[in-house]
Coordinates of all heavy atoms in Angstrom, one line a residue:
M941 N -34.4 -3.0 -6.4 CA -33.3 -3.9 -6.8 C -32.0 -3.2 -6.7 O -31.9 -2.0 -7.1 CB -33.6 -4.2 -8.3 CG -32.5 -5.1 -8.8 SD -32.6 -5.4 -10.7 CE -34.2 -6.2 -10.8
S942 N -31.0 -3.9 -6.0 CA -29.7 -3.2 -5.9 C -28.8 -3.7 -7.1 O -28.9 -4.7 -7.6 CB -29.1 -3.7 -4.6 OG -28.9 -5.1 -4.6
A943 N -28.0 -2.7 -7.4 CA -27.0 -2.9 -8.5 C -25.8 -3.5 -7.9 O -25.4 -3.2 -6.7 CB -26.7 -1.6 -9.2
E944 N -25.1 -4.4 -8.6 CA -23.8 -4.9 -8.1 C -22.7 -4.4 -9.1 O -22.9 -4.3 -10.2 CB -23.8 -6.4 -8.3 CG -24.8 -7.0 -7.2 CD -24.6 -8.6 -7.3 OE1 -23.6 -9.1 -7.7 OE2 -25.6 -9.2 -6.8
Y945 N -21.6 -3.9 -8.4 CA -20.5 -3.4 -9.0 C -19.2 -4.0 -8.6 O -19.1 -4.5 -7.5 CB -20.4 -1.8 -8.7 CG -21.5 -1.0 -9.1 CD1 -22.4 -0.5 -8.2 CD2 -21.7 -0.7 -10.5 CE1 -23.5 0.3 -8.6 CE2 -22.9 0.1 -10.9 CZ -23.7 0.6 -9.9 OH -24.7 1.4 -10.3
T946 N -18.3 -4.1 -9.6 CA -17.0 -4.5 -9.2 C -16.2 -3.3 -8.9 O -16.4 -2.2 -9.3 CB -16.4 -5.3 -10.4 OG1 -16.2 -4.4 -11.5 CG2 -17.1 -6.6 -10.8
Y947 N -15.2 -3.5 -8.0 CA -14.3 -2.4 -7.6 C -12.9 -2.9 -7.3 O -12.7 -4.1 -7.2 CB -14.9 -1.7 -6.4 CG -15.0 -2.6 -5.2 CD1 -13.9 -2.7 -4.3 CD2 -16.1 -3.4 -4.9 CE1 -14.0 -3.6 -3.2 CE2 -16.1 -4.3 -3.9 CZ -15.1 -4.4 -3.0 OH -15.2 -5.2 -1.9
D948 N -12.0 -2.0 -7.3 CA -10.7 -2.2 -6.9 C -10.3 -1.3 -5.8 O -10.8 -0.2 -5.6 CB -9.7 -2.0 -8.1 CG -9.9 -2.9 -9.3 OD1 -9.9 -4.1 -9.0 OD2 -10.1 -2.4 -10.4
Y949 N -9.4 -1.8 -5.0 CA -8.9 -0.9 -3.9 C -7.5 -1.1 -3.6 O -6.9 -2.1 -4.0 CB -9.7 -1.2 -2.6 CG -9.5 -2.5 -1.9 CD1 -8.5 -2.6 -0.9 CD2 -10.1 -3.6 -2.3 CE1 -8.2 -3.8 -0.3 CE2 -9.8 -4.9 -1.7 CZ -8.9 -4.9 -0.7 OH -8.6 -6.1 -0.1
A950 N -6.8 -0.2 -2.9 CA -5.4 -0.3 -2.6 C -5.3 0.3 -1.1 O -5.8 1.3 -0.9 CB -4.5 0.4 -3.5
I951 N -4.6 -0.5 -0.3 CA -4.3 0.0 1.0 C -3.0 0.8 0.9 O -2.0 0.4 0.2 CB -4.1 -1.1 2.0 CG1 -5.3 -2.0 2.1 CG2 -3.6 -0.6 3.4 CD1 -6.5 -1.3 2.7
I952 N -2.9 2.0 1.5 CA -1.8 2.9 1.5 C -1.1 2.7 2.8 O -1.7 2.8 3.9 CB -2.1 4.3 1.3 CG1 -2.9 4.5 -0.1 CG2 -0.9 5.2 1.2 CD1 -2.2 4.0 -1.3
R953 N 0.2 2.4 2.8 CA 0.9 2.3 4.0 C 2.2 3.1 4.0 O 2.7 3.5 2.9 CB 1.3 0.8 4.2 CG 2.2 0.2 3.2 CD 2.4 -1.2 3.3 NE 3.3 -1.7 2.3 CZ 3.6 -2.9 2.1 NH1 3.1 -3.9 2.9 NH2 4.4 -3.3 1.2
V954 N 2.7 3.5 5.1 CA 3.9 4.2 5.3 C 5.0 3.3 5.9 O 4.7 2.6 6.9 CB 3.7 5.6 6.1 CG1 5.1 6.2 6.4 CG2 2.8 6.5 5.4
V955 N 6.1 3.2 5.3 CA 7.2 2.4 5.8 C 8.3 3.3 6.0 O 9.2 3.6 5.2 CB 7.6 1.3 4.8 CG1 8.7 0.4 5.3 CG2 6.4 0.5 4.3
P956 N 8.4 3.8 7.3 CA 9.5 4.9 7.6 C 10.9 4.4 7.5 O 11.8 5.2 7.1 CB 9.2 5.4 9.0 CG 8.3 4.3 9.6 CD 7.6 3.6 8.5
R957 N 11.1 3.1 7.8 CA 12.5 2.6 7.7 C 12.4 1.2 7.0 O 12.0 0.1 7.5 CB 13.1 2.4 9.1 CG 13.3 3.6 9.8 CD 14.6 4.0 10.3 NE 15.7 3.0 10.2 CZ 16.4 2.5 11.2 NH1 16.1 2.9 12.4 NH2 17.4 1.7 11.1
V958 N 12.6 1.2 5.7 CA 12.5 0.0 4.9 C 13.4 -1.1 5.3 O 13.0 -2.2 5.4 CB 12.8 0.4 3.3 CG1 12.7 -0.9 2.5 CG2 11.8 1.4 2.9
D959 N 14.6 -0.7 5.9 CA 15.4 -1.7 6.3 C 14.9 -2.5 7.5 O 15.2 -3.6 7.7 CB 16.8 -1.1 6.7 CG 16.7 0.0 7.8 OD1 15.7 0.8 7.7 OD2 17.5 0.0 8.8
R960 N 14.0 -1.9 8.3 CA 13.3 -2.6 9.4 C 12.1 -3.3 9.0 O 11.5 -4.2 9.8 CB 13.1 -1.7 10.5 CG 14.5 -1.4 11.1 CD 14.5 -0.6 12.5 NE 13.3 -0.1 12.9 CZ 13.2 0.9 13.8 NH1 14.3 1.6 14.2 NH2 12.0 1.3 14.3
G961 N 11.4 -2.9 7.9 CA 10.2 -3.5 7.4 C 8.9 -3.1 8.2 O 7.9 -3.7 8.0
E962 N 9.0 -2.2 9.2 CA 7.9 -1.8 9.9 C 7.0 -0.9 9.1 O 7.5 -0.1 8.3 CB 8.3 -1.1 11.3 CG 9.1 -2.0 12.1 CD 9.8 -1.3 13.3 OE1 10.1 -0.1 13.1 OE2 10.0 -1.8 14.3
Q963 N 5.7 -1.1 9.3 CA 4.7 -0.2 8.4 C 3.5 0.1 9.2 O 3.2 -0.6 10.2 CB 4.5 -1.0 7.2 CG 3.6 -2.3 7.5 CD 3.4 -3.1 6.3 OE1 3.9 -2.8 5.2 NE2 2.7 -4.3 6.4
I964 N 2.9 1.1 8.8 CA 1.5 1.5 9.3 C 0.7 1.8 8.2 O 1.0 2.4 7.2 CB 1.6 2.7 10.4 CG1 2.1 4.0 9.7 CG2 2.4 2.3 11.6 CD1 2.0 5.2 10.5
N965 N -0.6 1.3 8.3 CA -1.6 1.6 7.2 C -2.1 3.0 7.5 O -2.4 3.4 8.6 CB -2.8 0.6 7.3 CG -2.3 -0.8 6.9 OD1 -1.4 -1.0 6.2 ND2 -3.1 -1.8 7.4
V966 N -2.2 3.8 6.4 CA -2.6 5.2 6.6 C -3.8 5.5 5.7 O -4.3 6.6 5.9 CB -1.5 6.1 6.3 CG1 -0.3 6.0 7.2 CG2 -1.0 6.0 4.9
G967 N -4.2 4.6 4.9 CA -5.4 4.9 4.0 C -5.8 3.9 3.0 O -5.2 2.9 3.0
V968 N -6.8 4.2 2.3 CA -7.2 3.3 1.3 C -7.8 4.2 0.0 O -8.2 5.3 0.2 CB -8.5 2.5 1.8 CG1 -9.6 3.3 2.1 CG2 -8.8 1.4 0.8
I969 N -7.5 3.6 -1.1 CA -8.0 4.2 -2.4 C -9.1 3.2 -2.9 O -8.8 2.0 -3.0 CB -7.0 4.3 -3.4 CG1 -5.8 5.2 -2.9 CG2 -7.5 4.9 -4.7 CD1 -4.5 5.1 -3.8
L970 N -10.3 3.7 -3.3 CA -11.3 2.8 -3.8 C -11.7 3.3 -5.2 O -11.9 4.5 -5.5 CB -12.5 2.9 -2.9 CG -13.7 2.0 -3.3 CD1 -13.4 0.6 -3.4 CD2 -14.9 2.3 -2.4
S971 N -11.7 2.4 -6.2 CA -12.1 2.7 -7.5 C -13.2 1.8 -8.0 O -13.1 0.6 -7.8 CB -10.9 2.5 -8.5 OG -11.3 2.6 -9.8
C972 N -14.3 2.4 -8.5 CA -15.4 1.7 -9.1 C -15.7 2.3 -10.5 O -16.5 3.3 -10.6 CB -16.6 1.7 -8.2 SG -18.0 0.7 -8.8
P973 N -15.1 1.7 -11.6 CA -15.4 2.3 -12.8 C -16.8 2.4 -13.3 O -17.3 3.3 -13.9 CB -14.6 1.4 -13.8 CG -13.6 0.7 -12.9 CD -14.2 0.6 -11.6
D974 N -17.6 1.3 -12.9 CA -19.0 1.3 -13.3 C -19.9 2.4 -12.7 O -20.8 2.8 -13.2 CB -19.6 -0.1 -12.9 CG -19.0 -1.3 -13.6 OD1 -18.5 -1.1 -14.7 OD2 -19.0 -2.4 -13.0
A975 N -19.4 2.9 -11.5 CA -20.1 4.0 -10.8 C -19.3 5.3 -11.0 O -19.7 6.2 -10.4 CB -20.2 3.6 -9.4
T976 N -18.4 5.2 -11.9 CA -17.4 6.5 -12.1 C -17.0 7.0 -10.7 O -17.2 8.2 -10.5 CB -18.2 7.5 -12.9 OG1 -18.9 6.9 -13.9 CG2 -17.2 8.5 -13.5
F977 N -16.5 6.1 -9.9 CA -16.0 6.5 -8.5 C -14.6 6.3 -8.3 O -14.0 5.2 -8.6 CB -16.9 5.7 -7.5 CG -16.5 6.1 -6.1 CD1 -17.2 7.2 -5.5 CD2 -15.6 5.4 -5.4 CE1 -16.9 7.5 -4.2 CE2 -15.3 5.7 -4.1 CZ -15.9 6.8 -3.5
L978 N -13.9 7.2 -7.8 CA -12.5 7.2 -7.4 C -12.3 8.2 -6.2 O -12.5 9.3 -6.4 CB -11.5 7.6 -8.5 CG -10.0 7.5 -8.2 CD1 -9.6 6.2 -7.7 CD2 -9.2 8.0 -9.3
D979 N -11.9 7.6 -5.1 CA -11.7 8.4 -3.9 C -10.7 7.8 -3.0 O -10.5 6.6 -3.1 CB -13.0 8.7 -3.2 CG -13.0 9.9 -2.3 OD1 -12.0 10.6 -2.3 OD2 -14.0 10.2 -1.7
A980 N -10.2 8.6 -2.0 CA -9.3 8.0 -1.1 C -9.6 8.6 0.3 O -10.0 9.8 0.4 CB -7.8 8.3 -1.5
R981 N -9.2 7.9 1.3 CA -9.3 8.4 2.7 C -8.0 8.1 3.3 O -7.4 6.9 3.2 CB -10.4 7.6 3.5 CG -11.8 7.9 3.0 CD -12.2 9.3 3.3 NE -13.6 9.5 3.1 CZ -14.1 10.1 1.9 NH1 -13.3 10.4 1.0 NH2 -15.4 10.2 1.7
I982 N -7.4 9.2 3.8 CA -6.0 9.1 4.4 C -6.1 9.7 5.8 O -6.6 10.7 6.0 CB -4.9 9.9 3.6 CG1 -5.0 9.5 2.1 CG2 -3.6 9.8 4.2 CD1 -4.5 8.2 1.8
E983 N -5.5 8.9 6.7 CA -5.4 9.4 8.1 C -4.0 8.9 8.7 O -3.9 7.6 8.9 CB -6.6 8.9 8.9 CG -6.5 9.5 10.3 CD -7.8 9.2 11.1 OE1 -8.9 9.1 10.5 OE2 -7.7 8.9 12.3
L984 N -3.2 9.7 9.0 CA -1.9 9.4 9.4 C -1.8 9.6 11.0 O -2.1 10.7 11.5 CB -0.7 10.3 8.8 CG 0.7 10.1 9.3 CD1 1.1 8.8 9.0 CD2 1.6 11.2 8.7
D985 N -1.5 8.5 11.7 CA -1.2 8.5 13.1 C 0.2 9.0 13.3 O 1.1 8.2 13.3 CB -1.5 7.2 13.7 CG -1.4 7.1 15.2 OD1 -0.7 8.0 15.8 OD2 -2.0 6.2 15.8
E986 N 0.4 10.3 13.5 CA 1.7 10.8 13.7 C 2.5 10.3 14.9 O 3.7 10.0 14.7 CB 1.6 12.4 13.7 CG 1.1 13.1 12.5 CD 1.0 14.5 12.7 OE1 1.7 15.2 13.5 OE2 0.3 15.2 11.8
A987 N 1.8 10.1 16.0 CA 2.5 9.5 17.1 C 3.0 8.1 16.8 O 4.2 7.7 17.2 CB 1.5 9.5 18.3
L988 N 2.2 7.2 16.1 CA 2.7 6.0 15.8 C 3.9 6.0 14.8 O 4.9 5.3 14.9 CB 1.5 5.1 15.2 CG 1.8 3.7 14.8 CD1 2.4 2.9 16.0 CD2 0.5 3.0 14.3
L989 N 3.8 6.9 13.8 CA 4.8 7.1 12.9 C 6.2 7.5 13.6 O 7.2 6.9 13.3 CB 4.5 8.1 11.8 CG 5.6 8.4 10.7 CD1 5.8 7.1 9.9 CD2 5.0 9.5 9.8
L990 N 6.1 8.4 14.5 CA 7.3 8.8 15.2 C 7.8 7.7 16.1 O 9.0 7.7 16.4 CB 7.0 10.1 16.0 CG 6.8 11.4 15.1 CD1 6.3 12.5 15.9 CD2 8.1 11.8 14.5
A991 N 6.9 6.9 16.6 CA 7.4 5.8 17.5 C 8.2 4.8 16.6 O 9.1 4.2 17.1 CB 6.1 5.0 18.1
L992 N 7.9 4.6 15.4 CA 8.6 3.7 14.5 C 9.9 4.4 14.1 O 10.9 3.7 13.9 CB 7.8 3.3 13.3 CG 6.6 2.5 13.5 CD1 5.8 2.2 12.2 CD2 6.9 1.2 14.2
D993 N 9.9 5.7 13.8 CA 11.1 6.4 13.5 C 11.0 7.9 13.9 O 10.4 8.7 13.3 CB 11.3 6.4 11.9 CG 12.5 7.1 11.5 OD1 13.4 7.5 12.3 OD2 12.7 7.0 10.2
P994 N 11.7 8.1 15.0 CA 11.6 9.5 15.6 C 12.3 10.6 14.7 O 12.0 11.8 14.8 CB 12.4 9.4 16.9 CG 12.5 8.0 17.2 CD 12.4 7.2 15.9
S995 N 13.0 10.2 13.7 CA 13.7 11.2 12.8 C 12.9 11.4 11.5 O 13.3 12.3 10.8 CB 15.1 10.7 12.4 OG 15.0 9.5 11.6
V996 N 11.8 10.8 11.4 CA 11.0 11.0 10.1 C 10.5 12.4 10.0 O 10.1 13.0 11.1 CB 9.8 9.9 10.0 CG1 8.7 10.2 11.0 CG2 9.3 9.8 8.7
D997 N 10.4 12.9 8.9 CA 9.9 14.3 8.6 C 8.3 14.1 8.3 O 7.9 13.9 7.2 CB 10.5 14.9 7.4 CG 10.1 16.3 7.1 OD1 9.2 16.8 7.7 OD2 10.8 17.0 6.3
V998 N 7.5 14.3 9.4 CA 6.2 14.1 9.4 C 5.5 15.1 8.4 O 4.6 14.6 7.6 CB 5.5 14.2 10.8 CG1 4.0 14.1 10.7 CG2 6.1 13.2 11.7
A999 N 5.9 16.2 8.3 CA 5.3 17.2 7.4 C 5.5 16.8 6.0 O 4.6 16.9 5.1 CB 5.9 18.6 7.6
T1000 N 6.6 16.3 5.6 CA 6.9 15.8 4.3 C 6.0 14.6 4.0 O 5.4 14.5 2.8 CB 8.4 15.5 4.1 OG1 9.1 16.6 4.3 CG2 8.6 14.9 2.7
V1001 N 5.9 13.7 4.9 CA 5.0 12.5 4.7 C 3.6 13.0 4.4 O 2.9 12.5 3.5 CB 5.2 11.6 5.9 CG1 4.1 10.4 5.8 CG2 6.5 10.9 6.0
Q1002 N 3.1 13.9 5.3 CA 1.7 14.4 5.2 C 1.5 15.1 3.8 O 0.5 14.9 3.2 CB 1.5 15.4 6.3 CG 1.0 14.8 7.6 CD -0.4 14.3 7.7 OE1 -1.0 14.0 6.6 NE2 -0.9 14.2 8.8
A1003 N 2.5 15.9 3.4 CA 2.4 16.5 2.1 C 2.3 15.6 1.0 O 1.5 15.7 0.0 CB 3.6 17.5 2.0
N1004 N 3.1 14.5 1.0 CA 3.1 13.5 0.0 C 1.8 12.7 0.0 O 1.2 12.4 -1.1 CB 4.3 12.6 0.1 CG 5.6 13.2 -0.4 OD1 5.6 13.5 -1.6 ND2 6.5 13.5 0.4
L1005 N 1.3 12.4 1.2 CA 0.0 11.7 1.3 C -1.2 12.5 0.8 O -2.1 12.0 0.2 CB -0.2 11.2 2.7 CG 0.6 10.1 3.2 CD1 0.5 10.0 4.8 CD2 0.3 8.8 2.5
S1006 N -1.1 13.8 1.0 CA -2.2 14.7 0.5 C -2.3 14.7 -1.0 O -3.5 15.2 -1.5 CB -2.0 16.1 1.1 OG -0.9 16.8 0.4
V1007 N -1.4 14.3 -1.7 CA -1.5 14.2 -3.2 C -2.4 13.1 -3.6 O -3.1 13.3 -4.6 CB -0.1 13.9 -3.8 CG1 -0.1 13.7 -5.3 CG2 0.8 15.2 -3.5
I1008 N -2.6 12.1 -2.8 CA -3.4 10.9 -3.2 C -4.9 11.4 -3.4 O -5.5 11.1 -4.4 CB -3.2 9.8 -2.2 CG1 -1.8 9.3 -2.3 CG2 -4.3 8.6 -2.5 CD1 -1.5 8.3 -1.2
P1009 N -5.5 12.0 -2.4 CA -6.9 12.5 -2.7 C -7.0 13.5 -3.8 O -8.0 13.5 -4.5 CB -7.4 13.0 -1.3 CG -6.4 12.4 -0.3 CD -5.1 12.2 -1.0
A1010 N -6.1 14.3 -3.9 CA -6.1 15.3 -5.0 C -6.1 14.6 -6.3 O -6.8 15.1 -7.2 CB -4.9 16.3 -4.8
V1011 N -5.3 13.6 -6.5 CA -5.2 12.9 -7.8 C -6.5 12.1 -8.0 O -7.0 12.1 -9.1 CB -4.1 11.9 -7.8 CG1 -4.1 11.0 -9.0 CG2 -2.7 12.7 -7.8
C1012 N -7.1 11.6 -6.9 CA -8.4 10.9 -7.0 C -9.5 11.9 -7.6 O -10.3 11.6 -8.4 CB -8.9 10.4 -5.7 SG -8.0 8.9 -5.2
R1013 N -9.5 13.1 -7.1 CA -10.4 14.1 -7.6 C -10.2 14.6 -9.0 O -11.1 15.0 -9.7 CB -10.5 15.3 -6.6 CG -11.0 15.1 -5.2 CD -11.1 16.4 -4.4 NE -9.8 17.0 -4.1 CZ -9.0 16.8 -3.1 NH1 -9.4 15.9 -2.2 NH2 -7.9 17.4 -3.0
G1014 N -8.9 14.6 -9.4 CA -8.6 15.0 -10.8 C -8.6 16.5 -10.9 O -8.7 17.2 -9.9
G1015 N -8.5 16.9 -12.0 CA -8.5 18.4 -12.3 C -7.1 19.1 -12.2 O -6.2 18.4 -12.0
A1016 N -7.2 20.4 -12.3 CA -5.9 21.2 -12.2 C -5.1 21.0 -11.0 O -3.9 21.0 -11.0 CB -6.1 22.6 -12.5
D1017 N -5.7 20.8 -9.8 CA -5.0 20.6 -8.6 C -4.2 19.4 -8.5 O -3.3 19.3 -7.7 CB -6.0 20.6 -7.3 CG -6.7 21.9 -7.1 OD1 -6.2 23.0 -7.7 OD2 -7.7 22.0 -6.5
A1018 N -4.5 18.4 -9.4 CA -3.7 17.2 -9.4 C -2.5 17.2 -10.4 O -1.9 16.2 -10.6 CB -4.6 16.0 -9.7
G1019 N -2.3 18.4 -11.0 CA -1.3 18.4 -12.0 C -1.6 17.8 -13.3 O -2.8 17.5 -13.6
P1020 N -0.6 17.5 -14.1 CA -0.9 16.8 -15.4 C -1.7 15.4 -15.3 O -2.5 15.1 -16.2 CB 0.5 16.6 -16.1 CG 1.3 17.5 -15.3 CD 0.8 17.7 -13.9
I1021 N -1.4 14.7 -14.2 CA -2.1 13.5 -14.0 C -3.6 13.7 -13.8 O -4.4 12.8 -14.1 CB -1.4 12.7 -12.8 CG1 -1.9 11.3 -12.9 CG2 -1.8 13.3 -11.5 CD1 -1.2 10.4 -13.8
G1022 N -4.0 14.8 -13.3 CA -5.4 15.1 -13.1 C -6.3 15.2 -14.3 O -7.5 15.1 -14.3
A1023 N -5.6 15.3 -15.5 CA -6.3 15.3 -16.8 C -6.7 13.9 -17.3 O -7.5 13.8 -18.2 CB -5.5 16.0 -17.8
L1024 N -6.1 12.9 -16.7 CA -6.4 11.5 -17.2 C -7.8 11.1 -16.6 O -8.3 11.7 -15.7 CB -5.3 10.6 -16.6 CG -3.9 10.8 -17.1 CD1 -3.0 9.9 -16.3 CD2 -3.8 10.7 -18.6
D1025 N -8.3 10.1 -17.2 CA -9.6 9.5 -16.7 C -9.4 8.9 -15.4 O -8.3 8.5 -15.0 CB -10.2 8.6 -17.8 CG -9.3 7.3 -18.0 OD1 -9.5 6.3 -17.2 OD2 -8.5 7.4 -18.9
A1026 N -10.5 8.6 -14.7 CA -10.4 8.1 -13.3 C -9.6 6.7 -13.3 O -8.9 6.5 -12.4 CB -11.8 7.9 -12.7
R1027 N -9.9 5.9 -14.2 CA -9.2 4.6 -14.2 C -7.7 4.7 -14.3 O -7.0 4.0 -13.7 CB -9.8 3.6 -15.3 CG -9.4 2.2 -15.1 CD -10.1 1.7 -13.8 NE -9.7 0.3 -13.6 CZ -9.6 -0.3 -12.4 NH1 -10.0 0.3 -11.4 NH2 -9.2 -1.5 -12.4
S1028 N -7.3 5.6 -15.2 CA -5.8 5.8 -15.4 C -5.2 6.4 -14.1 O -4.1 6.1 -13.7 CB -5.6 6.7 -16.6 OG -6.1 6.0 -17.8
R1029 N -6.0 7.3 -13.5 CA -5.5 8.0 -12.2 C -5.3 6.9 -11.2 O -4.3 6.8 -10.4 CB -6.3 9.1 -11.8 CG -6.3 10.3 -12.7 CD -6.9 11.5 -12.2 NE -8.2 11.4 -11.5 CZ -9.3 11.5 -12.0 NH1 -9.5 11.7 -13.3 NH2 -10.5 11.3 -11.3
F1030 N -6.3 5.9 -11.1 CA -6.1 4.9 -10.2 C -4.9 4.0 -10.4 O -4.1 3.8 -9.5 CB -7.4 4.0 -10.1 CG -7.3 2.8 -9.2 CD1 -7.4 3.0 -7.8 CD2 -7.0 1.5 -9.7 CE1 -7.3 1.8 -7.0 CE2 -7.0 0.4 -8.9 CZ -7.1 0.6 -7.5
R1031 N -4.7 3.7 -11.7 CA -3.5 2.8 -11.9 C -2.2 3.6 -11.6 O -1.3 3.0 -11.2 CB -3.5 2.4 -13.5 CG -4.6 1.4 -13.7 CD -4.5 0.9 -15.2 NE -5.6 0.2 -15.6 CZ -6.5 0.6 -16.4 NH1 -6.4 1.8 -17.0 NH2 -7.5 -0.2 -16.8
W1032 N -2.2 4.9 -11.9 CA -1.0 5.7 -11.6 C -0.8 5.7 -10.0 O 0.3 5.6 -9.6 CB -1.2 7.1 -12.1 CG -0.1 8.0 -11.9 CD1 1.0 8.1 -12.8 CD2 0.2 8.9 -10.9 NE1 1.9 9.0 -12.3 CE2 1.4 9.5 -11.1 CE3 -0.5 9.2 -9.7 CZ2 2.0 10.5 -10.3 CZ3 0.1 10.2 -8.8 CH2 1.3 10.7 -9.1
L1033 N -1.9 5.9 -9.3 CA -1.7 5.9 -7.8 C -1.2 4.6 -7.2 O -0.5 4.6 -6.3 CB -3.1 6.2 -7.2 CG -3.5 7.7 -7.3 CD1 -5.0 7.9 -6.9 CD2 -2.6 8.6 -6.4
V1034 N -1.6 3.5 -7.8 CA -1.2 2.2 -7.2 C 0.1 1.7 -7.8 O 0.5 0.6 -7.3 CB -2.4 1.2 -7.3 CG1 -3.6 1.6 -6.6 CG2 -2.6 0.8 -8.8
S1035 N 0.7 2.4 -8.7 CA 2.0 2.0 -9.2 C 3.0 2.2 -8.2 O 3.3 3.4 -7.7 CB 2.4 2.7 -10.5 OG 1.4 2.5 -11.4
P1036 N 3.9 1.2 -7.8 CA 4.9 1.5 -6.8 C 6.0 2.4 -7.3 O 6.5 2.3 -8.4 CB 5.5 0.1 -6.5 CG 4.5 -0.9 -7.2 CD 3.8 -0.2 -8.2
R1037 N 6.3 3.4 -6.5 CA 7.4 4.4 -7.0 C 8.0 5.0 -5.8 O 8.9 5.9 -5.9 CB 6.8 5.4 -7.9 CG 5.9 6.4 -7.2 CD 5.2 7.3 -8.1 NE 3.9 7.6 -7.8 CZ 2.8 6.9 -7.9 NH1 3.0 5.7 -8.4 NH2 1.7 7.3 -7.4
S1038 N 7.7 4.6 -4.5 CA 8.4 5.2 -3.4 C 8.7 4.0 -2.4 O 7.9 3.1 -2.3 CB 7.3 6.2 -2.7 OG 7.8 6.6 -1.5
T1039 N 9.7 4.2 -1.7 CA 10.0 3.2 -0.7 C 9.3 3.5 0.6 O 9.1 2.6 1.4 CB 11.5 3.1 -0.4 OG1 12.0 4.4 0.0 CG2 12.3 2.6 -1.6
M1040 N 8.9 4.8 1.0 CA 8.3 5.2 2.2 C 6.7 5.1 2.1 O 6.1 4.5 3.0 CB 8.7 6.5 2.6 CG 8.1 6.8 4.1 SD 8.7 8.4 4.6 CE 10.3 8.0 5.3
I1041 N 6.2 5.5 1.0 CA 4.7 5.5 0.9 C 4.4 4.5 -0.2 O 4.8 4.6 -1.4 CB 4.2 6.9 0.5 CG1 4.4 7.8 1.6 CG2 2.7 6.8 0.2 CD1 4.1 9.3 1.3
Q1042 N 3.7 3.4 0.2 CA 3.5 2.3 -0.7 C 2.1 1.8 -0.8 O 1.3 1.8 0.2 CB 4.3 1.0 -0.2 CG 5.7 1.3 0.0 CD 6.4 0.0 0.6 OE1 5.8 -0.9 1.0 NE2 7.8 0.1 0.7
P1043 N 1.5 1.6 -2.0 CA 0.2 1.0 -2.2 C 0.3 -0.5 -1.9 O 1.3 -1.0 -2.1 CB -0.1 1.3 -3.6 CG 1.2 1.4 -4.3 CD 2.2 1.8 -3.3

């Protein structure tokens, strides 16, 4: 017998130039409280990002994106937010707060 679970997810996108509205999907966050699961997969296509905006700082974008899986894992590596329960960390991750990296 298989168990059925509800889950939430968020697509992560990078919008290098908000004024132009162009975006690329770079990852997904998946949360399933019933299974105590929170994880993210991030993969940035640097060539595509640079095609949209040749002046973008790719290293800074990568550094900011790397925070997402760390927060999903929780613990000290995620800073103070890592001490929260998984559901609270998911809500924190999907709260809009950046114009370039958006859930």
Side-chain angles (χ1 to χ4, degrees):
M941 178 187 299
S942 65
E944 292 186 22
Y945 298 107
T946 59
Y947 62 90
D948 294 305
Y949 70 95
I951 302 296
I952 304 301
R953 62 187 181 184
V954 174
V955 184
R957 299 231 358 232
V958 177
D959 58 316
R960 292 191 349 205
E962 299 168 330
Q963 63 188 4
I964 58 173
N965 291 336
V966 297
V968 64
I969 303 168
L970 181 64
S971 171
C972 181
D974 295 334
T976 317
F977 181 85
L978 177 61
D979 202 0
R981 296 290 187 261
I982 306 291
E983 186 173 322
L984 177 62
D985 184 337
E986 293 179 18
L988 182 55
L989 180 60
L990 288 169
L992 293 178
D993 183 1
S995 67
V996 71
D997 184 348
V998 175
T1000 299
V1001 172
Q1002 280 281 26
N1004 284 296
L1005 287 171
S1006 71
V1007 170
I1008 296 170
V1011 170
C1012 286
R1013 287 188 299 272
D1017 290 342
I1021 196 74
L1024 298 175
D1025 63 89
R1027 194 66 184 155
S1028 296
R1029 292 193 316 271
F1030 175 76
R1031 288 188 193 109
W1032 185 86
L1033 284 166
V1034 299
S1035 299
R1037 72 189 143 279
S1038 169
T1039 55
M1040 185 177 277
I1041 298 173
Q1042 302 177 356

